[in-house]
Every structure is written in structure tokens, then in C-alpha cells.
Amino acid sequence: MKLAIAALLAGSAAAFAPAQVGKASTALNAFESELGAQPPLGFFDPLGMLADADQERFDRLRYVEVKHGRIAQLAFLGQIVTRNGIHL
């Protein structure tokens, strides 16, 4: 009986253990160490925009992405302010 209880406890403890994940390999190993490359995907480029890119192109696309994100944040803030009745 004690052996059955111990087996049940060991089995339930294994359910909360982290899964063993293999190292994902991509063709874009040049940008694997950049900020934002996270496991398990590594560097995520689903459209293949950087398939044959160099560091300059990567930096330009990163800059444009940050710029568009900031513009979207300002647009959202403008929407919230206008909905609260503040009109300039």
C-alpha cells in the first residue's frame, strides 16, 4: 500500500516538472544572440525577411519596428484621451 502511494506521489510530481526541450536550430544563426531571441524558438523570422541580410539590414528593421511601436502607443494614448472627453 505504501509503495502504491509513493508511486502515485512520484507520478504526480513528475507532472509539474519542466518538459525536456531540444535545442531549436535555425538557418539564421547570425542573429541568435540578439536581444529578443528567446527559447524555444530562438530568432523568430516567419516571413524570411532576414534570410540573406547583414547586420546593417537587421539594425534598420529593428529601428523601424521600435519606431512603429512608439507611434502605435501614442495613437492608443490619443484614443484613450479623446474617449475621456479631452479634445485639443
Side-chain angles (χ1 to χ4, degrees):
M1 185 67 178
K2 290 181 183 180
L3 183 61
I5 291 173
L8 285 174
L9 288 175
S12 64
F16 295 103
Q20 298 295 329
V21 179
K23 174 91 172 115
S25 64
T26 63
L28 298 172
N29 290 331
F31 305 118
E32 285 291 327
S33 63
E34 292 292 333
L35 182 67
Q38 300 176 355
L41 295 177
F43 180 71
F44 186 64
D45 185 24
L47 299 178
M49 296 179 73
L50 294 171
D52 55 350
D54 56 352
Q55 186 67 37
E56 183 180 343
R57 173 111 171 109
F58 177 81
D59 291 339
R60 170 72 179 148
L61 289 176
R62 166 90 31 116
Y63 168 75
V64 169
E65 182 180 6
V66 169
K67 182 178 93 171
H68 289 159
R70 290 176 180 162
I71 291 171
Q73 290 173 1
L74 286 173
F76 179 75
L77 181 63
Q79 178 75 359
I80 296 298
V81 168
T82 304
R83 294 269 175 148
N84 282 326
I86 300 172
H87 300 282
L88 300 176

